[in-house]
Each structure stands twice: as C-alpha cells, then as structure tokens.
Amino acid sequence: MNDAPLDPLTALRPWAAPEVTSWRRLPMNAVDRRPGAVPLDGDWHFQLLPAPDAPLGEVWSSSYVPGAWTMQGTDDLPRYLNIRMPFAEFPPDVPAANPTGVYERGVDVPAEWAGRRIVLQVGAAESVLLVHVDGRPVGISKDSHLAAEFDLTGLVRPGERATVRLTVVKWSDASHIEDQDQWWHGGITRSVLLYAVDPLHLADVTVRARRDGDLLVECRVRDAGGPLPEGWYVSGELDGQPLTQDAEFDRANAEDERVSDFLGEARLRAAVADVRTWNAETPELYDLTVRLHRADGTVADTSRHRVGFRDVEIVGRDLLVNGERVFIRGVNRHDFHPLTGRTVTYDDMRADLVLLKRFGFNAIRTAHYPNDPALYDLADELGFYVVDEADIESHDHAHEIADDPRYLGAFVDRVARMVLRDKNHPSVIIWSLGNESDYGANHDAAAGWVRRHDPTRPVQYEGAAKRGWADPGLASDIACPMYAPLEECLAHALSGTQTKPLVQCEYSHAMGNSNGTLADHWAAIEATPGLQGGFIWEFWDHGILQRVNDGRPAGRGGAGLHDNGVAAPGHRWAYGGDFGETDHDGAFIADGVVFPDRTPKPVMFEHREIAAPVRIEAFRHEGVVLGNHQHFRGLEWLSGEWELSLAEGTTLTAPAELPVLRPGETAAVPLPFVVPEDGGEAWLTLRVTTAGDEPWAPRGTVVCLPQVRLRAACPPAHTRVPDGTVEVDEDGLLVHPLLTSAPTLSLWRAPTDNDVLGGMADRWRDWGLEAPTREVVSVRRSPGRVAVVSDYLCAGGTVRHEQVLTAVDGGLIVDESAELPEALHDVARVGTVFETVAGLNLLEWFGQGPWESYPDRAAGAPVGHHRLPVDELFTPYLRPQESGGRHGVRRFTLSAPDTTGLAVRLDRARQVSVTRHRAADLADVAHHDELVPRAGCVVHIDAAHRGLGTASCGPDTFASYLVAAGVHRWSWTLRVL
Ligand code: GAL
Ligand code: MG
C-alpha cells in the first residue's frame, strides 16, 4: 500500500472524464510569444509507467522533447490502425494498461523576470497532460495538437531553479475523438517553452484585413493583478505607418453602461490605399506591430503579425477569394516525419510547402487537426489556401459521440481553440469542424461558436455535408464530400439544386501506384460551374524508417539513411504490422503523393501539368494559342522555351516569348519552327520555367510542360517479305541471343493497392491470370517465318494467342493477337513479356516520360526522346506492386555501355515497362527491401493496360481505361543494335 498522499490531478482521473477538457489552462490566443522565450527543448528525465496511477520508479532514463517516446527506444512502439480503436473500451473509458510518460527537468527561471507574469507553454502532448512544478499541481490539458499554457507566476521564483514535471497519459477519453487514420504515438510532440510578460499584457489580438484595404485590429488587454491600471492604451503600425485608434469604439464603450470599466478592449484601424491584396499566387503580406502602453507611454507588451488583405465569401454556389472563383488544387497534410513520427521542424514544413508549390498545389487541408503553428506562417508567406481542421475524429464510435453531451465541451473547446489560435492567418480560408465523427448536436454547437466568433470565414464539415450536399445544415457552408464519384459531382452541379460550392475534402487516394483519372477529374472541374476542386488524399506516405535487425524505429539518428524514396540497406519504411502489432491496417498508411522522405511520386508530375498556369489551348497552322489559367497573375514571372521533338529525329529548341496575358486571356503566337518535312510524328512542347527567383523556386525551375502534337505518325511501312531465318524451340518459343526468356503472353500485373482493395486482384487470382498454362496448338514454319498458335489456359477461360515471327532485313517482326473470352472482361493487361540478358542497363525511348505513366495517369508525361538507366525506371512503392510503366511508347532501345543491345519499334503508342522484376517477384514480397533485382531486364509491351483508378479508397478507373474481352492485336519489331 502506497501511503503517499494522492496527487489531486491524478485523483481526478482526467483520462476518463470527457467533461474535463482542461484545468487552469490559460485561454488560447493569437499573440506571438516566441521571441524572448526560454526554450525547454532537449533531453528531459523520463520514465514510462504502465499506467497513470502507477508509482514512479527509482530509475530515470531520458527522452528528447519535442518527440514521441514511441520513436525513442521504449517498448511502447508505434501502432497503426485506421478506424478501429486500439482498445476495446467504450468511450469514455480506456484500458487499465495505459502507457504514461513522466518528463521532468530543472528550469532556471531568469532573475530579471521578477515581477513579471511567467507562463509555461507545452506545444502539444498526446493525449492528456498533467503539469506539476516543484511537486505542486499546476494544471491539466487535452487536445493533442494544440498548445497548452499555464500561469506559473507565484509557483516559480525568478533567479531560482524550479522542477517542471509533465506527465503525459497516452490513452484517454480524448483518444476516442482523436481516432484519426495515422500512427498512434505518445509524447510531447511540439516544443516546450517558458516566457514572461508584464502583468499588463495583450491577452489577444484579432486582425481583420479586407481586400479593399480596410484594417481592423481588436486588442484584448488584461492585467494579471486584476483591474486594469488607469491610462493604458494601444498603438500599432503597419509597414511602419501608424494606425489610428478607434476613438469611436472607445467612446461607445465608455457610454454603454452594460460595458464594464474593466473591459480591456481597444481597436486600431487603417485604410490602406492601393493595397496589395493577398492570394495564393501573390501572397502579399504587411508587417503589423501592436503595442500596449502604460499611462506614461512606456511599452508593456508587443505583438507582431503578418497581415494579408483578402476576402473570402460564398456567393451563390461559388467560393470566392477576393471576388475570384479560385480552383482549390489541394492536398491533405498530416504533421508527419519518418524519423520522429509526428514532430516536424520549420525546415521540414518549409520543404513540404516548397515542394507542393513546385508541383502546382495551392491549398492544404490540415488533416485532421491543427498543424504545427509554423505551417500557417509558411502558408501565409508562400501562398496556400488552408482548410484548418479541428482535432476531432471519433471514427470508431462516431455515432455514439456526436450527440453525447459529455463530449459537448470537448467539441466546442477544440474548434474554438483552433479558431482563436489561427484566426489572423490570411491563408486560412475555411474552418473545418473535424473529420469522420458522424454528425450531431456537438457539431452544431461548435459551428455556432465559430459563426459568432469569426463571421469572416465559411465553415465546413464533411459529416454534415453527407446529409445532403444542397442542405448540410448549420455545420457546413461547403459541399465537401470525400471520394465522391465524378459523375455524382457533375450530376449535382448540373441538377439545378446545388446551393453550396462543391470542393471535395478528400479525393484521388494516393495509395501505392494510384491517382488514375486525375486529369479527367480536372477537365470536368474546370469545365463545370459549381465544381471547384478538392484535396488529394494525401501528402505523405507515413512510412517510419525502421531497422530491420531489431525492428526498432531508426529515430532521430536515422537521418540520411534514405535516398530517392528508398531506405538504406538494413532499413525499410515500416507500415502497419511492422512493429509486431497483430491488429493493424497494413499499408493503408502509405497513401501519399510523396515517399516518406518527401521524394515525389510520379503523380506529382501529373499534378504539376494539370495545374499548369499557362497552357496550349489549340494548334492552328499559323501558330498555337496560349492561355493564362491563373486567377490573379500575369505570365511575367514565367519564361519559356519551345521544343520540337521529331519521332525520327532529334529535339530542336528555340526561345519562347510569352505574350502579356491577364488571367483567363488567350493569345495566338506564331509557330517558332518550320517543321521539317521528314521526321515523322512531331510534338511541340513549351518548357515553362520561373523567370526569376520565387520564394519557393529558384529561377529556371520547371513549372509546366504543355504540349501539342503538330503531326501524327504515319503507319509503319513494314515489308513483310521474309528475309532471313527465325529460330524457335520445340514449343514455338523464340530463340534469340539477347533474350533469356522468349516473348510470351502476359495478362497479369503485380496487383497495385487499388487492384487489391478494389477486389480486382482476387478476381484475377481466381481466374488464374498470374500463371496460365501455355499449350501449343500449332507451330507453322515457312521460309523466314514461324506462326505459333497457343492456348493460355486459365481457370477463368482460355485465351488463344497467335504469334507470327517474321525475319526481315536486320530484325524480326512480331505480329500478335490474343482473344479473351467474354468471361475475362477487365484483366490487368494484354501484351508481351520477355527477359533480356544482363548488361542492358540503359533505356532510351520515344514516347511519354521521363517519369512513370499509365493510361489514366498520363497527362503529365510529355512525349519526347527520353533516356534513363533501367534501375531508375522503377518506382519503389512501399508495398511492391506494378510499377515503372511508361505510357505512349513508340520505340525504345535497351543497351549496354558498349552500345550493343536491342531496339524495339511498336506499331503504335503503347504501354511499356522495363524493370528488374517479374510481376510475381513484386507480388510475392511485402516490402521494397525484400526485392532481389534480376540481372537482366523484364520487358512488357502491352497492347492494352488497365488504368490505375483509385479503388483503394474511392472510385475505380473509368470504363474507357479497362481492358475488355475480345480480340487484341499488336505488333512490334525487334532488332539487334
Ligand atoms: C478517409 C479519411 C482519411 C483516410 C482516408 C483513407 O476516409 O478521412 O483519414 O482514412 O479516408 O486513406
Ligand atoms: Mg478515419
């Protein structure tokens, strides 16, 4: 029996009490306190207890703050579950086994803080924080992704050392509303600091800056000692220009007997002439300084802000920024890092946003909680529209919690605290009440709070919008579905009943090799009033860098142990199940447009082109028509170069003069080249780069590569007069000095995540497409020609394959056909596969590239002459799957350094892949590091290849991208170099 007096914070058992959202936590505000603070980041003494009421041990280890203990060598490891809670208890209860981290350190309180108000700020702790100083209880906080502040004045003595203890309980009633689709961690994931202010201080500052130049700054002033002293006042300046005090407001308050003398409110105003407005393309910011003065004029407190003048409004069914119906080219972003789990630095966030800018994104949804505060500063500065989302997701128990009055306070608290923190950011254009928590009275209560407190921004909540896009009720001003089929969005926009802007909060699920039909979506969005875009799910693949030998996270020491999306030898990107969990959701955590080390996946290039600010609208004989597809900017920040690619020639270049175009305008520009008579198929590309340095890209960074075909290919004039000999074995299989495996029929691909979760992979397995039995029906030999008919016997039916091999001068023509019975509708591919000898390590091709592309994700890969080492063709998706394909390939060579090798010419543009892996090699392993590359190349030439779609979460590809039953014909020539 432990006789120690029970600690009052522990006695309250706040981890199973949703009514307790905090105790003695200071109100959230938007005053910037970071300058002058004492940082408390670094190693803290640490103990991990098995439960919050377990006794403290004798032995301390250490833990780095900010950081998750789950990433720092404890036995409590990261765990991934999407929807299901990691424990069975019903809300608000939690399991008795409840890891609890106790962090302790000494803090030297500066002597010069005597007489000041001293505040402790804990940036983020999940999921319950109990604070003690020198053994005395200070306060409690929940809300894992927002800071908690506590007043330590009187508890610590300036000039002396105090012991701060932060106890972090992992599981709580709050976990039930923090059930987001991500890793579960425990710890203090954002910085801790101590700061001091004058007792007379700015308690909050609210900035309203409109696009007409009207600026209103509302200041809330408090004195820690109680009543405000006589004579205080505020002053401010904007870019050095003084603001005026709103005397009218002061007088009205003084005359209103309902307003108390202690009101502590003041307003500053300005009318900025010729204001430079803020938008995501030209994020103009002004510097605002607000000062609080004592009666004698001395400054008691100062707060600095960056101000953007802009309006957000909904007019009819359009969401307008500064009166413009902007397209939302968004992505969902978590605070994620492969070494820390959750903790991100300023540089990390800057790198995220810079990358997104470079790939044409202009919007972020902070899925699914308020992100690190610096993210919003960066969004203001670099130009992003932000949907700021509150930390509420009760996915597993959504229905029970949405109307549970015990959680009412938590809902309102979380939404309100987010709004109070982030309200001054011009980048934040919409408040989101959270994610996947059904819809109940608790949401309406939170929405009501926001509408009263910040009428300047719309509110959205998918759970409400789900009730009816035209009438989501109080909780949503936006129809913001997730993964809605495009045809439903179109039908709604065309129905005549639409009342709200339609911006999908999540769409185009980026799991593995995915994002098929993105270009089709955007063609529809841009052509359909009422549709305004959406947020791709999601930015990151949340793979944690893991040591393979002991299964531990590499942690902060793992820096540099990855390159180009690939973990170093002995390491891998861990996903669900890799930390010994038995209950998990596998690779569903790896669903981003970038790898865990931020290497862009091929879809990023697709997106960059879809978002192109300047486009080739049309080609007429005298020239091309260029259009400006931005909302606010001209083309002056861009420079261009024309490239003319001839299929049977080279690429010519010429400087491009971009016309002066306002947004939405087009202009004809003359063709920069006389297209040579010969050279076959001809493509004109406008290589658009930044003309000068942008905050997110140095001069010369590629912005887009719009392209138009100037001349179609002539059908190949094969002479099929046999000339030479064709050698086949007794099975009719080609014998060729450069091939280790003869060309045979392929109907299968290593299932993508979409194929698996969409059910296609199972169907293909049931049909036996992976390894059909080949039975030779006939081998007919004639001089210089062999015609082979074979049947590929699958459980789902028999596919008849004909291959006619004709020797011609210098090579071999391969004419093929395959007849798929009706039952085999929608297979992965119909085409040829063969394997080469080792040493052919360079692929050069004329077709789409240079990055990976597939039939329904091919808008961003321009046609041209491309070359890449074979090892760089493959995309290392975390769970190996079909990868490395190139769409629209007309011909290619595969060569050794001594330029020997083979050349293939296709009858028309087709899907090709050259990798070191058979489809079965890929399908057999769970992680990229388990793949053993083959020495030779595995070459696929597809007559037809199925689109990728997004069926791992959302719509599959369109019918037009499916591989239908019936007869497929293709032909190609093979030549030795
Ligand atoms: C959504 C959810 C996201 C994520 C996604 C699938 O339903 O809001 O958090 O789970 O699906 O990856
Ligand atoms: Mg969820």
Side-chain angles (χ1 to χ4, degrees):
M1 182 73 195
N2 188 347
D3 292 333
L6 201 52
D7 169 66
L9 300 190
T10 315
L12 207 53
R13 300 180 61 77
W15 49 88
E19 305 84 347
V20 181
T21 54
S22 69
W23 180 69
R24 296 195 66 80
R25 184 178 67 194
L26 295 171
M28 182 58 91
N29 60 75
V31 181
D32 183 9
R33 296 292 182 203
R34 275 163 286 175
V38 172
L40 299 181
D41 290 350
D43 287 320
W44 287 53
H45 299 301
F46 181 73
Q47 289 196 25
L48 186 61
L49 307 181
D53 39 14
L56 208 59
E58 298 291 316
V59 187
W60 291 85
S61 62
S62 80
S63 189
Y64 189 82
V65 172
W69 69 66
T70 33
M71 299 292 288
Q72 296 187 39
T74 68
D75 288 334
D76 185 30
L77 289 166
R79 176 158 187 198
Y80 170 55
L81 278 168
N82 169 13
I83 298 170
R84 286 168 299 156
M85 287 297 288
F87 48 82
E89 282 73 8
F90 215 69
D93 293 333
V94 292
N98 188 357
T100 298
V102 182
Y103 296 78
E104 199 171 277
R105 64 167 279 173
V107 178
D108 293 317
V109 183
E112 61 273 22
W113 285 3
R116 310 201 81 200
R117 177 173 175 265
I118 299 171
V119 177
L120 173 73
Q121 184 187 82
V122 180
E126 55 193 271
S127 68
V128 184
L129 170 70
L130 314 181
V131 181
H132 293 84
V133 169
D134 293 333
R136 285 191 283 168
V138 173
I140 298 174
S141 178
K142 294 177 189 170
D143 198 1
S144 294
H145 298 275
L146 281 177
E149 292 193 336
F150 300 93
D151 191 342
L152 301 191
T153 323
L155 289 170
V156 296
R157 275 182 299 277
E160 293 184 18
R161 167 166 279 225
T163 301
V164 175
R165 177 182 293 180
L166 305 177
T167 304
V168 181
V169 185
K170 184 170 178 181
W171 305 126
S172 71
D173 56 86
S175 309
H176 291 284
I177 54 169
E178 296 180 359
D179 180 21
Q180 291 98 354
D181 179 4
Q182 58 176 340
W183 294 98
W184 289 101
H185 288 293
I188 298 173
T189 55
R190 294 188 192 143
S191 291
V192 179
L193 52 87
L194 199 63
Y195 67 84
V197 288
D198 199 90
L200 178 65
H201 64 278
L202 288 162
D204 202 2
V205 173
T206 302
V207 180
R208 302 243 153 101
R210 301 183 49 108
R211 86 169 132 136
D212 61 5
D214 186 51
L215 175 70
L216 169 64
V217 183
E218 298 177 329
C219 306
R220 180 178 291 253
V221 175
R222 291 289 179 267
D223 191 296
L228 290 167
E230 282 294 308
W232 66 269
Y233 64 99
V234 294
S235 72
E237 58 200 39
L238 187 76
D239 274 7
Q241 297 297 312
L243 307 183
T244 40
Q245 286 159 9
D246 190 337
E248 178 58 28
F249 175 77
D250 295 344
R251 195 168 46 73
N253 277 334
E255 285 170 4
D256 186 341
E257 78 271 7
R258 291 165 306 173
V259 175
S260 119
D261 292 346
F262 305 126
L263 179 71
E265 283 181 17
R267 287 183 174 180
L268 300 167
R269 286 189 178 277
V272 180
D274 300 322
V275 69
R276 302 183 312 273
T277 53
W278 185 97
N279 61 71
E281 292 169 14
T282 53
E284 296 282 356
L285 293 174
Y286 290 73
D287 288 317
L288 169 71
T289 306
V290 179
R291 293 194 185 88
L292 168 61
H293 303 262
R294 302 179 189 93
D296 64 2
T298 53
V299 175
D301 200 3
T302 306
S303 183
R304 294 199 168 76
H305 304 262
R306 304 204 76 192
V307 176
F309 288 81
R310 61 108 187 86
D311 290 345
V312 182
E313 59 200 320
I314 293 177
V315 176
R317 57 179 183 175
D318 295 332
L319 171 69
L320 306 180
V321 174
N322 297 341
E324 283 294 316
R325 178 179 164 260
V326 295
F327 287 122
I328 301 296
R329 304 181 185 280
V331 73
N332 282 278
R333 180 189 169 283
H334 274 280
D335 279 343
F336 167 79
H337 194 279
L339 305 182
T340 65
R342 208 83 92 214
T343 300
V344 289
T345 64
Y346 176 86
D347 290 343
D348 291 328
M349 287 178 273
R350 191 165 221 290
D352 293 357
L353 298 202
V354 159
L355 188 79
L356 286 168
K357 277 303 256 200
R358 289 189 192 178
F359 285 90
F361 289 86
N362 70 357
I364 289 169
R365 173 171 174 244
T366 67
H368 296 301
Y369 42 78
N371 285 184
D372 188 287
L375 191 274
Y376 303 78
D377 295 336
L378 286 160
D380 292 345
E381 180 191 321
L382 296 169
F384 284 92
Y385 304 119
V386 173
V387 172
D388 201 4
E389 188 152 283
D391 191 1
I392 302 173
E393 175 165 344
S394 58
H395 208 153
D396 201 10
H397 294 286
H399 189 63
E400 298 93 279
I401 290 178
D403 282 301
D404 184 338
R406 292 172 301 175
Y407 277 96
L408 171 63
F411 274 54
V412 178
D413 185 56
R414 284 161 185 255
V415 172
R417 280 172 25 92
M418 168 182 77
V419 172
L420 288 166
R421 186 191 72 164
D422 296 335
K423 63 194 169 208
N424 295 338
H425 289 282
S427 55
V428 175
I429 62 162
I430 296 170
W431 302 116
S432 164
L433 304 180
N435 188 56
E436 299 188 317
S437 304
D438 203 341
Y439 176 35
N442 293 344
H443 291 103
D444 281 352
W449 189 94
V450 184
R451 294 192 185 287
R452 171 78 190 189
H453 189 84
D454 179 21
T456 71
R457 293 175 176 94
V459 171
Q460 77 172 49
Y461 177 53
E462 183 267 342
K466 194 149 73 191
R467 297 268 166 122
W469 295 351
D471 185 17
L474 181 62
S476 200
D477 298 316
I478 316 270
C480 49
M482 45 174 75
Y483 313 106
L486 181 58
E487 61 272 17
E488 274 177 35
C489 298
L490 281 167
H492 181 64
L494 300 174
S495 66
T497 62
Q498 184 180 7
T499 59
K500 312 278 179 202
L502 202 163
V503 181
Q504 293 216 53
C505 70
E506 295 176 27
Y507 81 111
S508 199
H509 194 245
M511 183 179 184
N513 191 357
S514 185
N515 305 99
T517 73
L518 193 60
D520 308 76
H521 274 74
W522 273 96
I525 290 165
E526 293 191 352
T528 313
L531 304 188
Q532 269 188 263
F535 297 82
I536 289 180
W537 186 267
E538 66 175 311
F539 182 59
W540 289 107
D541 265 1
H542 301 224
I544 290 177
L545 189 70
Q546 181 188 35
R547 292 191 296 262
V548 176
N549 60 0
D550 64 0
R552 296 273 170 175
R556 297 195 321 135
L561 289 174
H562 52 82
D563 182 31
N564 251 327
V566 180
H571 295 76
R572 66 179 179 184
W573 300 124
Y575 53 75
D578 290 341
F579 293 107
E581 319 107 284
T582 43
D583 226 9
H584 61 80
D585 287 302
F588 206 64
I589 192 73
D591 54 0
V593 292
V594 299
F595 285 97
D597 65 354
R598 209 185 286 107
T599 299
K601 291 187 181 173
V603 60
M604 291 290 268
F605 296 93
E606 181 85 350
H607 189 272
R608 186 175 75 182
E609 208 52 47
I610 290 169
V614 51
R615 305 195 194 158
I616 300 176
E617 311 290 341
F619 160 55
R620 302 197 194 109
H621 285 296
E622 65 282 13
V624 292
V625 178
L626 294 185
N628 178 356
H629 283 253
Q630 299 165 101
H631 296 292
F632 301 100
R633 258 184 142 176
L635 301 185
E636 59 287 338
W637 65 286
L638 301 168
S639 57
E641 187 182 47
W642 294 109
E643 289 179 0
L644 177 67
S645 298
L646 297 166
E648 310 303 332
T650 50
T651 301
L652 313 170
T653 59
E657 185 82 25
L658 295 182
V660 174
L661 287 180
R662 286 197 304 259
E665 288 183 346
T666 59
V669 297
L671 256 198
F673 302 98
V674 178
V675 183
E677 298 262 314
D678 49 4
E681 190 179 355
W683 285 82
L684 180 71
T685 310
L686 180 59
R687 191 183 165 79
V688 181
T689 54
T690 47
D693 290 341
E694 293 288 320
W696 47 271
R699 174 165 180 259
T701 303
V702 174
V703 173
C704 56
L705 301 164
Q707 196 174 49
V708 67
R709 190 171 70 179
L710 300 184
R711 185 168 61 210
C714 306
H718 289 322
T719 48
R720 279 187 167 67
V721 182
D723 176 10
T725 53
V726 179
E727 194 187 338
V728 296
D729 65 13
E730 62 277 16
D731 294 322
L733 295 173
L734 177 69
V735 176
H736 189 283
L738 291 179
L739 305 192
T740 56
S741 171
T744 53
L745 180 68
S746 172
L747 301 167
W748 189 69
R749 67 185 179 199
T752 63
D753 291 312
N754 291 324
D755 295 339
V756 173
L757 293 166
M760 289 75 86
D762 279 350
R763 186 153 42 85
W764 297 337
R765 188 180 319 113
D766 292 346
W767 286 346
L769 298 186
E770 177 180 346
T773 309
R774 178 174 177 272
E775 271 182 8
V776 182
V777 176
S778 65
V779 179
R780 279 180 291 123
R781 296 164 206 260
S782 51
R785 176 173 290 168
V786 179
V788 185
V789 178
S790 40
D791 279 342
Y792 283 72
L793 311 179
C794 315
T798 297
V799 178
R800 165 121 333 164
H801 177 229
E802 291 191 26
Q803 192 178 58
V804 180
L805 303 157
T806 309
V808 289
D809 182 26
L812 191 70
I813 301 177
V814 187
D815 293 302
E816 306 195 59
S817 72
E819 184 174 359
L820 274 67
E822 274 311 305
L824 294 186
H825 173 71
D826 188 11
V827 299
R829 59 161 39 117
V830 175
T832 309
V833 62
F834 60 82
E835 292 178 20
T836 74
V837 296
L840 308 183
N841 295 339
L842 179 69
L843 185 78
E844 293 174 88
W845 74 101
F846 184 75
Q848 294 191 244
W851 31 82
E852 182 191 89
S853 53
Y854 283 83
D856 61 352
R857 203 191 66 216
V863 176
H865 296 279
H866 303 289
R867 52 185 278 154
L868 276 177
V870 170
D871 291 327
E872 290 175 26
L873 290 164
F874 186 73
T875 312
Y877 297 110
L878 266 58
R879 192 190 65 77
Q881 52 197 282
E882 162 63 33
S883 126
R886 297 295 185 281
H887 192 60
V889 176
R890 282 82 164 157
R891 63 184 167 82
F892 63 89
T893 64
L894 195 48
S895 59
D898 65 2
T899 71
T900 59
L902 51 85
V904 170
R905 184 176 281 271
L906 312 176
D907 53 346
R908 61 180 178 81
R910 296 193 181 273
Q911 183 81 16
V912 165
S913 79
V914 179
T915 69
R916 304 243 181 248
H917 310 286
R918 294 182 186 160
D921 299 342
L922 299 169
D924 281 353
V925 298
H927 292 90
H928 189 258
D929 66 299
E930 296 159 43
L931 281 173
V932 183
R934 291 174 183 273
C937 297
V938 179
V939 180
H940 279 275
I941 298 169
D942 291 331
H945 192 103
R946 190 188 199 278
L948 299 167
T950 63
S952 53
C953 182
D956 193 1
T957 193
F958 299 150
S960 54
Y961 298 113
L962 298 181
V963 179
V967 180
H968 296 260
R969 290 179 205 286
W970 67 108
S971 99
W972 49 288
T973 65
L974 176 66
R975 210 160 46 80
V976 174
L977 288 176

Coordinates of all heavy atoms in Angstrom, one line a residue, residues 81-83 179-182 368 393-396 435-437 482 506, ligand 2:
L81 N -3.6 1.9 -36.8 CA -4.9 1.4 -37.1 C -5.7 2.6 -37.8 O -5.5 3.7 -37.4 CB -5.6 1.1 -35.8 CG -5.3 -0.3 -35.2 CD1 -5.9 -0.4 -33.8 CD2 -6.0 -1.4 -36.1
N82 N -6.4 2.3 -38.7 CA -7.2 3.3 -39.4 C -8.4 3.7 -38.6 O -8.4 4.8 -38.0 CB -7.5 2.8 -40.8 CG -8.5 3.7 -41.6 OD1 -8.8 4.8 -41.2 ND2 -9.1 3.2 -42.7
I83 N -9.4 2.9 -38.6 CA -10.7 3.2 -38.0 C -10.8 2.7 -36.6 O -11.1 3.4 -35.6 CB -11.9 2.7 -38.8 CG1 -11.8 3.4 -40.2 CG2 -13.2 3.0 -38.1 CD1 -12.8 2.8 -41.2
D179 N -9.3 9.7 -33.1 CA -9.1 8.4 -33.8 C -8.9 8.6 -35.3 O -9.6 8.1 -36.1 CB -10.4 7.6 -33.5 CG -10.3 6.2 -34.2 OD1 -9.2 5.7 -34.5 OD2 -11.4 5.6 -34.4
Q180 N -7.9 9.4 -35.6 CA -7.6 9.6 -37.0 C -6.8 8.5 -37.6 O -6.2 7.7 -36.9 CB -6.7 10.9 -37.1 CG -7.5 12.2 -36.8 CD -7.3 12.7 -35.4 OE1 -6.6 12.0 -34.6 NE2 -7.8 13.8 -35.1
D181 N -6.8 8.4 -38.9 CA -6.1 7.4 -39.7 C -4.6 7.7 -39.7 O -4.2 8.4 -40.6 CB -6.7 7.3 -41.1 CG -6.1 6.3 -42.0 OD1 -5.2 5.5 -41.5 OD2 -6.4 6.2 -43.1
Q182 N -3.9 7.3 -38.7 CA -2.5 7.6 -38.6 C -1.9 6.7 -37.5 O -2.6 6.0 -36.9 CB -2.2 9.1 -38.3 CG -2.8 9.5 -37.1 CD -2.5 11.0 -36.7 OE1 -1.5 11.5 -37.2 NE2 -3.2 11.6 -35.9
H368 N -5.7 15.8 -39.7 CA -7.1 16.1 -39.3 C -7.1 16.8 -37.9 O -7.8 16.4 -37.0 CB -7.9 14.8 -39.1 CG -8.1 14.0 -40.4 ND1 -8.7 14.5 -41.5 CD2 -7.8 12.7 -40.7 CE1 -8.8 13.6 -42.5 NE2 -8.2 12.5 -42.0
E393 N -11.9 13.5 -34.4 CA -12.3 12.4 -35.2 C -12.6 11.2 -34.3 O -11.8 10.7 -33.6 CB -11.3 12.0 -36.2 CG -11.8 10.7 -37.0 CD -11.0 10.4 -38.3 OE1 -10.3 11.2 -38.8 OE2 -11.2 9.2 -38.7
S394 N -13.9 10.8 -34.3 CA -14.3 9.7 -33.4 C -14.7 8.5 -34.3 O -15.7 7.8 -33.9 CB -15.5 10.2 -32.6 OG -16.6 10.6 -33.5
H395 N -14.0 8.3 -35.3 CA -14.4 7.3 -36.4 C -15.0 6.0 -35.8 O -16.1 5.6 -36.3 CB -13.2 7.0 -37.3 CG -13.6 6.7 -38.6 ND1 -12.8 6.8 -39.7 CD2 -14.7 6.1 -39.1 CE1 -13.4 6.4 -40.8 NE2 -14.5 6.0 -40.5
D396 N -14.3 5.4 -34.9 CA -14.8 4.1 -34.4 C -16.1 4.2 -33.7 O -17.0 3.3 -33.7 CB -13.8 3.4 -33.6 CG -14.0 1.9 -33.5 OD1 -14.8 1.4 -34.3 OD2 -13.3 1.2 -32.7
N435 N -13.2 15.6 -38.6 CA -13.3 14.5 -39.6 C -14.1 13.3 -39.1 O -13.9 13.0 -37.9 CB -11.9 14.1 -40.1 CG -11.9 13.2 -41.3 OD1 -12.5 13.6 -42.3 ND2 -11.3 12.1 -41.2
E436 N -14.8 12.7 -39.9 CA -15.4 11.3 -39.7 C -15.9 11.1 -38.2 O -15.4 10.2 -37.5 CB -14.4 10.3 -40.1 CG -14.1 10.4 -41.6 CD -13.2 9.3 -42.2 OE1 -12.3 8.9 -41.5 OE2 -13.5 8.9 -43.3
S437 N -16.8 12.0 -37.8 CA -17.3 11.9 -36.5 C -18.9 11.9 -36.5 O -19.5 12.4 -35.6 CB -16.8 13.0 -35.6 OG -15.4 13.1 -35.6
M482 N -16.1 13.2 -49.5 CA -14.9 12.6 -49.8 C -15.1 11.4 -50.8 O -16.1 10.7 -50.7 CB -14.2 12.1 -48.5 CG -15.1 11.4 -47.5 SD -14.1 10.7 -46.2 CE -13.7 12.1 -45.2
E506 N -11.6 15.2 -49.6 CA -10.6 14.2 -50.0 C -11.1 13.6 -51.3 O -12.2 13.3 -51.5 CB -10.6 13.1 -48.9 CG -10.1 13.5 -47.5 CD -10.2 12.5 -46.5 OE1 -10.1 11.3 -46.8 OE2 -10.3 12.8 -45.3
Ligands
MG2 MG -11.0 7.9 -40.2

